[in-house]
């Protein structure tokens, strides 16, 4: 077989380089020497044709195709790389400051210090937006508390504040001068220098503002009875003079006399029962001069008047005049904010409204019950009686639905007669209030839900009242307080709110306080708290309730 020459396609050259098909006049070179500047032109297309004509159909597998594909992939890789570098550069550009602050906090402190120095040179000593010299130096010190340059800068800010105060004084810009003096004092400029400059500012300001004229205006206002309440009143004018000249005798004496006049007006307000006005005037005097010689007597008179008004409110509450009682308690609270007895009185008013709501609900007068419940919520939505009234109203609605408001009249009458008969049998057995569901009281309550205005029902309910009263007294004597409360609730339905029922509530509340005090002494805080809640729900104004609550609060805090 004739051996192939090195120039024929498909054979390797002597040095091992791959051969490629030659075009017209093409010189055969090793692939590694010429693929770098390969151009796909007419010669190459001819070479491709010759190559395929010689039977080499799989020309895409040749070295030329592989090299071309490799170069395209390299260019694509370069493009992706360039885009990644550009993206990273943009990210670093955007995050350069936060990264710098995180990696090199000292750089941030230096920048803040440089900004502060520039602000100081521009005379921008302080600024609400944080770009003043004081704020910038403070930020630098926060990053590096040991930075002495920032501390020196703060001292320079104080010195510059004094310089600017001097300039403001020369220009008679007294508000600006006072602001710069305050800044210098804040930055610990030597006190002697600050005080001296402040005195100069006050003297100049007093001369320019006409202190004598202000004193004359204040005296005239006091003579006219215009003591307080506006810039042209006597007290504000005297205060203004004293701000300029703190030791001005005429201003001190005038203010003293004006405050005495205000206290005299407060006494007149007390005499006509206007506690709020009297309290406001006394508070004004206290703010101007807490050591005024007449102030203690005036405050004592206010406390006496408040005590009297609170007692009147208690009496109104006992008579059931709830609106008047509420007005009295609130008046005391305006005069003496935080008065606990008045706060308890307001809770008692809310409970009284809630009690009315329960009685109306028991008679299935739902519109009236809702109205009274709304009043109770307005007075004190957290009062214990409010929740009880809400529950009672819901129960009454359910009873009305359960006992046939939508059944025929004959059927309803049959059920009513049966309930009355069952109530009579329970009464004859002595089951007046127990057992629950089968007692005479429960049967009559069901009958009442069906026909609240029926004469037989009303007569039976009235007949049952003495039994409920005896039940309460018996259970109270036996110290069965929960059972006594059930009997008391039955009495509330049967007899309504009145002096006798309120007295029974107070008695039961006092017994709960005694039990709570005993439990507190034994260290049973949970039982003592339950007793306090029961007493407070019955009568928020019960004697000794506040003291017991204070002892329980202290004991709970100690634990």
């Amino acid at each position: 077989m004739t051996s192939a020459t090195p120039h024929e396609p498909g054979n390797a050259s002597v040095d091992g380089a791959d051969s490629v098909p030659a075009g017209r006049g093409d010189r055969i070179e090793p692939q590694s020497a010429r693929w770098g500047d390969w151009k796909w032109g007419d010669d190459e297309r001819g070479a491709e044709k010759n190559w395929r004509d010689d039977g080499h159909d799989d020309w895409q597998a040749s070295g030329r195709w592989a090299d071309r594909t490799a170069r395209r992939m390299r260019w694509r890789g370069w493009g992706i790389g360039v885009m990644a570098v550009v993206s990273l550069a943009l990210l670093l550009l955007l995050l350069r400051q936060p990264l710098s602050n995180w990696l090199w906090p000292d750089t941030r402190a230096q920048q803040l210090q440089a900004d502060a120095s520039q602000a100081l040179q521009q005379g921008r000593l302080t600024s609400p937006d944080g770009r003043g010299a004081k704020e910038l130096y403070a930020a630098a010190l926060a990053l590096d508390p040991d930075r002495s340059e920032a501390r020196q800068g703060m001292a320079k800010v104080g010195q510059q504040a004094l310089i600017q105060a001097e300039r403001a004084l020369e220009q008679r810009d007294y508000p600006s001068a006072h602001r710069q003096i305050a800044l210098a004092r804040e930055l610990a400029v030597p006190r002697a220098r600050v005080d001296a400059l402040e005195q100069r500012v006050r003297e100049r300001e007093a001369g320019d503002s006409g202190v004598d004229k202000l004193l004359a205006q204040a005296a005239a206002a006091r003579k006219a009875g215009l003591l307080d309440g506006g810039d042209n009143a006597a007290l504000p004018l005297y205060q203004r003079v004293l701000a300029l000249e703190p030791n001005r005798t005429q201003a001190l004496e005038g203010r003293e006399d004006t405050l005495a006049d205000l206290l005299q007006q407060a006494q007149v307000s007390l005499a006509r029962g206007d506690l709020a006005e009297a309290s406001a005037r006394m508070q004004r005097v206290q703010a101007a001069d807490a050591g005024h010689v007449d102030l203690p007597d005036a405050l004592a008179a206010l406390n006496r008047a408040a005590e009297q008004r609170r007692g009147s409110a208690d009496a109104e509450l006992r008579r059931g005049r709830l609106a008047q009682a509420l007005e009295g308690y609130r008046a005391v609270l305006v005069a003496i904010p935080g008065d606990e007895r008045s706060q308890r009185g307001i809770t008692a008013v809310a409970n009284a409204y809630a009690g009315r709501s329960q009685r109306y609900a028991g008679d299935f007068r739902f519109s009236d019950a809702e109205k009274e419940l709304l009043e109770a919520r307005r007075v004190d939505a957290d009062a214990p009686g409010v929740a009880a009234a809400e529950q009672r109203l819901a129960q009454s609605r359910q009873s009305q639905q359960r006992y046939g408001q939508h059944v025929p009249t004959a059927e309803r009458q049959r059920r009513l007669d049966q309930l009355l008969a069952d109530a009579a049998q329970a009464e004859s057995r002595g089951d007046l209030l127990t057992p629950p569901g089968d007692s005479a009281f429960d049967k009559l309550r069901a009958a009442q839900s069906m026909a609240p205005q029926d004469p037989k029902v009303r007569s039976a309910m009235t007949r049952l009242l003495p039994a409920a009263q005896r039940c309460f007294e018996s259970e109270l004597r036996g110290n069965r307080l929960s059972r006594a409360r059930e009997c008391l609730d039955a009495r509330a339905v049967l007899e309504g709110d009145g002096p006798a029922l309120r007295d029974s509530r107070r008695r039961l509340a006092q017994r709960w306080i005694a039990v709570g005090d005993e439990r507190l002494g034994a260290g049973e805080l949970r039982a003592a708290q339950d007793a306090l809640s029961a007493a407070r729900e019955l009568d928020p104004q019960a004697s000794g309730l506040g003291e017991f609550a204070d002892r329980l609060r202290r004991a709970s805090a100690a634990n």
Side-chain angles (χ1 to χ4, degrees):
M1 179 180 294
T2 305
S3 61
T5 64
H7 301 287
E8 292 177 353
N11 292 282
S13 63
V14 175
D15 58 4
D18 294 336
S19 297
V20 297
R24 296 189 304 272
D26 287 341
R27 180 170 59 87
I28 304 302
E29 293 179 354
Q31 184 179 357
S32 60
R34 58 195 185 86
W35 282 156
D37 55 353
W38 175 265
K39 296 181 180 178
W40 189 259
D42 294 335
D43 293 340
E44 285 75 15
R45 293 187 183 93
E48 173 190 337
K49 185 176 184 300
N50 295 334
W51 184 264
R52 296 181 66 180
D53 291 343
D54 289 339
H56 297 279
D57 294 332
D58 194 15
W59 66 277
Q60 290 184 351
S62 66
R64 179 183 300 170
W65 178 267
D67 185 69
R68 180 186 175 198
T69 303
R71 282 189 293 108
R72 286 183 174 176
M73 295 301 294
R74 284 198 299 274
W75 278 108
R76 184 177 301 172
W78 275 105
I80 294 174
V82 169
M83 290 178 64
V85 170
V86 171
S87 300
L88 181 60
L90 288 174
L91 185 62
L92 292 175
L93 180 64
L94 293 174
L95 299 179
R96 67 186 188 281
Q97 191 63 41
L99 287 174
S100 171
N101 296 342
W102 178 57
L103 296 174
W104 302 284
D106 189 60
T107 302
R108 173 61 176 160
Q110 290 177 357
Q111 183 61 49
L112 287 170
Q113 186 174 320
D115 294 343
S117 179
Q118 183 178 2
L120 180 59
Q121 292 176 2
Q122 296 173 351
R124 196 171 64 252
L125 304 187
T126 184
S127 176
D129 63 1
R131 301 303 300 170
K134 184 192 78 168
E135 291 79 16
L136 291 169
Y137 278 128
L141 284 172
L143 289 176
D144 185 2
D146 297 327
R147 185 172 290 273
S148 59
E149 298 89 341
R151 294 188 181 279
Q152 294 172 3
M154 291 286 274
K156 291 179 181 178
V157 174
Q159 298 296 332
Q160 188 64 29
L162 280 186
I163 295 174
Q164 290 193 10
E166 291 274 5
R167 293 173 183 169
L169 176 59
E170 293 174 1
Q171 298 171 2
R172 286 180 163 76
D173 185 359
Y174 301 116
S176 178
H178 284 301
R179 286 195 300 270
Q180 299 302 331
I181 287 173
L183 178 59
R185 196 181 297 278
E186 180 184 349
L187 296 177
V189 175
R191 182 174 179 179
R193 293 183 58 191
V194 177
D195 289 345
L197 180 57
E198 186 174 28
Q199 182 63 28
R200 289 170 52 201
V201 171
R202 289 186 181 279
E203 291 174 357
R204 178 77 65 82
E205 187 178 10
D208 289 350
S209 61
V211 170
D212 292 338
K213 182 178 179 180
L214 291 175
L215 287 171
Q217 291 175 351
R222 176 172 174 257
K223 185 176 181 180
L226 185 59
L227 304 181
D228 198 12
D231 293 338
N232 295 324
L235 182 58
L237 288 171
Y238 282 126
Q239 297 282 64
R240 183 177 172 186
V241 172
L242 290 172
L244 299 173
E245 297 185 20
N247 298 320
R248 186 70 176 255
T249 302
Q250 188 177 354
L252 289 170
E253 292 177 351
R255 185 185 67 171
E256 187 77 7
D257 294 339
T258 302
L259 294 178
D261 292 341
L262 278 174
L263 290 177
Q264 184 62 36
Q265 289 184 354
Q267 294 289 349
V268 174
S269 299
L270 285 180
R272 66 169 181 264
D274 193 343
L275 299 184
E277 185 177 279
S279 176
R281 286 174 173 162
M282 291 182 192
Q283 290 175 9
R284 185 72 175 98
V285 173
Q286 197 168 21
D289 182 10
H292 192 279
V293 63
D294 295 331
L295 187 59
D297 291 340
L299 292 175
L302 176 63
N303 287 329
R304 289 194 298 272
E307 178 71 23
Q308 183 178 359
R309 187 64 178 274
R310 194 188 303 110
S312 299
D314 291 342
E316 298 286 7
L317 178 61
R318 287 192 294 271
R319 288 194 291 267
R321 301 178 62 185
L322 304 186
Q324 292 80 355
L326 180 63
E327 181 183 357
Y329 291 131
R330 285 179 172 171
V332 174
L333 281 176
V334 171
I336 307 177
D339 182 66
E340 291 188 1
R341 288 182 58 188
S342 296
Q343 289 175 341
R344 291 198 297 269
I346 289 176
T347 301
V349 171
N351 285 337
Y353 276 118
R356 290 180 179 179
S357 176
Q358 290 193 55
R359 290 192 299 277
Y360 285 133
D363 292 336
F364 300 98
R365 296 168 57 182
F366 297 125
S367 178
D368 292 333
E370 289 174 349
K371 180 180 177 181
E372 297 297 329
L373 181 57
L374 179 60
E375 288 297 327
R377 290 183 182 131
R378 286 175 178 172
V379 175
D380 184 1
D382 296 327
V386 172
E390 291 172 343
Q391 183 179 5
R392 183 60 171 276
L393 182 58
Q395 290 173 348
S396 295
R397 290 186 186 278
Q398 292 174 358
S399 297
Q400 186 186 57
Q401 294 174 0
R402 185 168 56 251
Y403 287 105
Q405 293 299 311
H406 302 291
V407 299
T409 303
E411 177 64 19
R412 185 164 58 250
Q413 186 62 46
R414 188 190 67 78
R415 292 183 183 181
L416 180 62
D417 293 341
Q418 183 63 48
L419 286 171
L420 289 173
D422 292 343
Q425 291 180 4
E427 187 177 355
S428 65
R429 295 194 305 268
D431 296 336
L432 301 179
L433 299 175
T434 57
D438 289 330
S439 67
F441 177 72
D442 289 331
K443 296 296 183 180
L444 289 177
R445 287 285 296 151
Q448 188 183 40
S449 68
M450 295 179 62
Q453 305 302 325
D454 187 279
K456 295 180 181 178
V457 175
R458 287 185 170 274
S459 175
M461 295 288 278
T462 302
R463 191 172 62 251
L464 197 60
L465 176 59
Q469 293 171 337
R470 291 193 298 271
C471 172
F472 171 77
E473 297 296 339
S474 174
E475 301 300 332
L476 188 63
R477 283 194 301 271
N479 213 34
R480 295 179 290 273
L481 304 188
S482 296
R483 177 60 181 159
R485 174 62 188 271
E486 294 176 2
C487 299
L488 189 62
D489 290 342
R491 282 183 55 188
V493 175
L494 296 169
E495 68 179 291
D497 191 23
L501 185 66
R502 287 195 292 270
D503 179 69
S504 297
R505 287 184 178 277
R506 281 193 291 272
R507 291 166 56 200
L508 184 55
Q510 292 287 341
R511 190 65 62 87
W512 273 116
I513 292 173
V515 170
D517 192 61
E518 178 185 352
R519 295 300 89 202
L520 180 60
E524 299 177 11
L525 300 183
R526 181 63 180 273
Q529 182 62 54
D530 292 341
L532 174 63
S533 299
R536 185 174 285 161
E537 182 178 350
L538 286 162
D539 184 7
Q541 292 185 301
S543 177
L545 183 63
E547 293 80 0
F548 173 56
D550 291 338
R551 293 198 306 274
L552 180 57
R553 189 182 305 113
R554 290 193 295 269
S556 300
N559 276 359

